[in-house]
Amino acid sequence: MQEMTIDDFVQYYRDRYELEVRNAGLSFSLQAYLHAVPELRQSGHVIYIDIDRIDQVLTNIIYNAIKHTPAGGAIVLQILTDSSSLVMKVQDNGSGIDPDDLPYIFDRFYKKDKSRNSAEGGSGLGLAIAKEIVEFHGGRIWAESRLHQGACISFALPLRESQRRLRA
């Protein structure tokens, strides 16, 4: 686990997935909304993360979005803060998730032919592992979708006061 400032976190992800998404024939944008609670930037609030595991979460979510968004579609990565957390949202305009499947997409081995997490070769583990990683970090993960209109998979990580700042 390492301490990261909000600005460092955004900078790390600014270009992280753009090439992969564009190579799949999709447009990609990152939107950061960090000024909703401007005092967080001056207060020394940070996140404590295992960067490799959070990369695993985002890679899984973005891979699913690529897989279920037709060529010419779009994927948007949003990073925003509220008073207690940093929220990441991956929004696509792909096939969406069937409302009957939505409550179960984070369950281990959940697969249904029309489900986003069970396309050919999928094990039904990716989003379950993402959920475990996010929860290990003290966060939460959720999904919103409209069939044939895309999906938004989001997760929130808690903000904490910097240990470096407390020691100073």
Side-chain angles (χ1 to χ4, degrees):
M1 299 289 279
Q2 69 185 52
E3 180 178 297
M4 284 186 88
T5 67
I6 296 167
D7 288 338
D8 287 345
F9 185 85
V10 171
Q11 186 61 36
Y12 182 81
Y13 286 106
R14 184 163 306 284
D15 300 318
R16 176 84 173 88
Y17 296 101
E18 182 173 13
L19 186 60
E20 189 172 346
V21 171
R22 291 192 188 279
N23 284 344
L26 307 171
S27 70
F28 177 81
S29 65
L30 181 137
Q31 303 167 348
Y33 302 102
L34 306 176
H35 300 290
V37 186
E39 60 272 9
L40 286 177
R41 296 186 101 166
Q42 289 83 36
S43 69
H45 279 83
V46 296
I47 55 172
Y48 287 94
I49 62 170
D50 177 332
I51 194 78
D52 293 330
R53 297 294 66 86
I54 295 301
D55 260 353
Q56 185 178 357
V57 169
L58 273 171
T59 297
N60 179 272
I61 294 169
I62 289 174
Y63 174 76
N64 281 341
I66 290 170
K67 189 166 44 171
H68 296 284
T69 303
I75 294 175
V76 177
L77 175 61
Q78 293 181 336
I79 304 173
L80 52 113
T81 54
D82 62 26
S83 61
S84 62
S85 58
L86 181 138
V87 178
M88 296 197 73
K89 297 180 172 209
V90 178
Q91 173 74 51
D92 67 58
N93 62 354
S95 59
I97 304 167
D98 188 299
D100 292 338
D101 295 335
L102 200 55
Y104 308 106
I105 64 169
F106 297 106
D107 292 353
R108 281 188 172 270
F109 305 113
Y110 181 75
K111 293 172 71 168
K112 191 171 179 184
D113 289 340
K114 60 187 175 185
S115 172
R116 290 169 59 93
N117 69 332
S118 66
E120 297 82 277
S123 65
L125 284 173
L127 290 176
I129 291 169
K131 179 181 178 187
E132 289 176 13
I133 292 169
V134 168
E135 288 177 348
F136 170 81
H137 283 79
R140 63 185 184 94
I141 189 167
W142 66 97
E144 303 165 273
S145 180
R146 290 186 154 191
L147 198 55
H148 309 297
Q149 294 181 24
C152 182
I153 308 289
S154 307
F155 64 93
L157 301 172
L159 292 172
R160 300 191 172 125
E161 201 162 330
S162 171
Q163 294 299 310
R164 294 179 203 149
R165 183 178 170 108
L166 291 174
R167 286 186 218 124

